[in-house]
Structure formats: structure tokens, C-alpha cells
């Protein structure tokens, strides 16, 4: 079975999404709009789309496991909500292609993630990002570990 958005929240101060198991999402696994601070941690996502459609000033994606999803983690259009920072760390992604898709996002730190297999695609596909983009200490176990980045003005 394929399911649409599994978790949807709109307009509040804080969102904390933790310890869910999601399977075969056909749309965003998690959709959170108009929040100040969002933390997504300890979730398990198998198959489908692991899109995290998030609009918040501070976003942390920590310690999630994503398998066989395309893409692994997808963050899109965060600047329109006045984003201060995005941290993606401690996540494990297996057989996702690509592992990360980051579009139109500023001030991103991607660190200490484990990526195993990227289905022949870049581990990271980033576009329309600014210069405050940090990628450090990620571990690539198998697959292609190159990055694709396009800065759009």
C-alpha cells in the first residue's frame, strides 16, 4: 500500500516528531509548515518518499533511519520562512537515491551521517543554496559518494 503524507502539522511554535515507523509513503512522509522550531528524530522510514517538507526557522533532522527511498531526505524551500539554520546529522540512509536532496535552502550543516548505497546517483544533490553550506564527517559505505551542487542566484 502507498500512503500520502503520514504526519502533517501547520502553524505552531514547536514541532517534535520522534520514533515513528513509516512505510511506502507516496508523498511527503512528514509535512510541517509555519513553525519556529522543528526537530525530527529517531524515525524509521521504509520505501516511498522520505520527503521532509518543513517550513521553520530552525530545523534539526537527527538520528533517523531511511531505507529504499527516493530521495532519502528531501528539504525544499526553507528560506521563504526566514530559516536561521538547518542541521542534518546522525542519520542512516541505505539504498536511497540520492541520499539527500536540498533545494532552495540556506545555512545547512550536513554532518556525521552514514550513507550505504545511492542507486547510482549523487549522494547529495543541492541546488539554489547559499555559501553557508557545510558537509563534514559523513561516512559513505557503498555506492557513489560524489556531490552535485548548483548555486542559483
Amino acid at each position: 500500500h502507498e500512503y500520502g503524507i503520514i504526519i502533517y502539522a501547520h502553524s505552531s511554535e514547536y514541532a517534535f516528531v520522534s520514533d515513528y515507523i513509516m512505510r511506502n509513503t507516496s508523498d511527503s512522509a512528514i509535512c510541517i509548515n509555519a513553525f519556529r522550531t522543528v526537530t525530527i528524530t529517531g524515525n524509521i522510514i521504509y520505501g516511498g518518499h522520505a520527503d521532509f517538507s518543513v517550513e521553520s526557522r530552525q530545523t534539526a533532522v537527527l538520528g533517523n533511519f531511511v531505507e529504499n527511498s527516493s530521495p532519502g531526505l528531501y528539504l525544499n524551500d526553507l528560506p521563504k520562512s526566514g530559516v536561521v539554520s538547518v542541521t542534518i546529522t546522525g542519520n542512516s540512509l541505505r539504498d536511497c537515491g540520492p541520499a539527500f536532496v536540498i533545494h532552495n535552502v540556506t545555512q545547512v550543516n550536513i554532518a556525521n551521517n552514514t550513507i550505504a548505497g545511492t542507486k547510482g546517483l549523487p549522494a547529495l544533490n543541492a541546488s539554489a543554496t547559499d555559501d553557508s553550506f557545510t558537509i563534514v564527517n559523513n561516512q559513505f559505505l557503498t555506492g557513489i559518494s560524489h556531490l552535485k551542487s548548483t548555486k542559483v542566484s
Side-chain angles (χ1 to χ4, degrees):
H1 301 284
E2 290 208 0
Y3 305 96
I5 296 170
I6 302 297
I7 296 172
Y8 179 81
H10 183 73
S11 295
S12 188
E13 196 73 14
Y14 303 98
F16 185 79
V17 179
S18 178
D19 301 321
Y20 283 90
I21 297 174
M22 302 172 220
R23 290 188 169 88
N24 301 322
T25 60
S26 64
D27 201 344
S28 299
I30 300 169
C31 183
I32 300 173
N33 296 316
F35 281 74
R36 177 195 265 176
T37 302
V38 172
T39 302
I40 300 170
T41 184
N43 298 289
I44 300 171
I45 301 170
Y46 296 107
H49 297 277
D51 299 0
F52 292 175
S53 177
V54 177
E55 290 181 25
S56 75
R57 291 185 50 77
Q58 295 179 327
T59 301
V61 180
L62 314 167
N64 298 284
F65 175 81
V66 180
E67 180 179 63
N68 198 28
S69 181
S70 180
L73 295 176
Y74 176 71
L75 294 171
N76 184 36
D77 286 333
L78 294 181
K80 68 184 176 188
S81 58
V83 169
V84 173
S85 67
V86 177
T87 300
I88 302 170
T89 188
N91 299 286
S92 296
L93 295 97
R94 183 169 54 199
D95 296 329
C96 296
F100 302 104
V101 173
I102 311 296
H103 179 257
N104 202 18
V105 176
T106 60
Q107 300 179 16
V108 177
N109 179 24
I110 300 175
N112 303 312
N113 297 286
T114 302
I115 297 99
T118 58
K119 297 185 177 182
L121 298 168
L124 169 68
N125 187 343
S127 62
T129 59
D130 71 359
D131 292 328
S132 58
F133 200 93
T134 306
I135 305 168
V136 295
N137 298 329
N138 295 287
Q139 184 178 17
F140 299 94
L141 301 178
T142 60
I144 298 172
S145 63
H146 68 279
L147 311 175
K148 176 183 175 187
S149 180
T150 307
K151 185 175 179 179
V152 178
S153 299

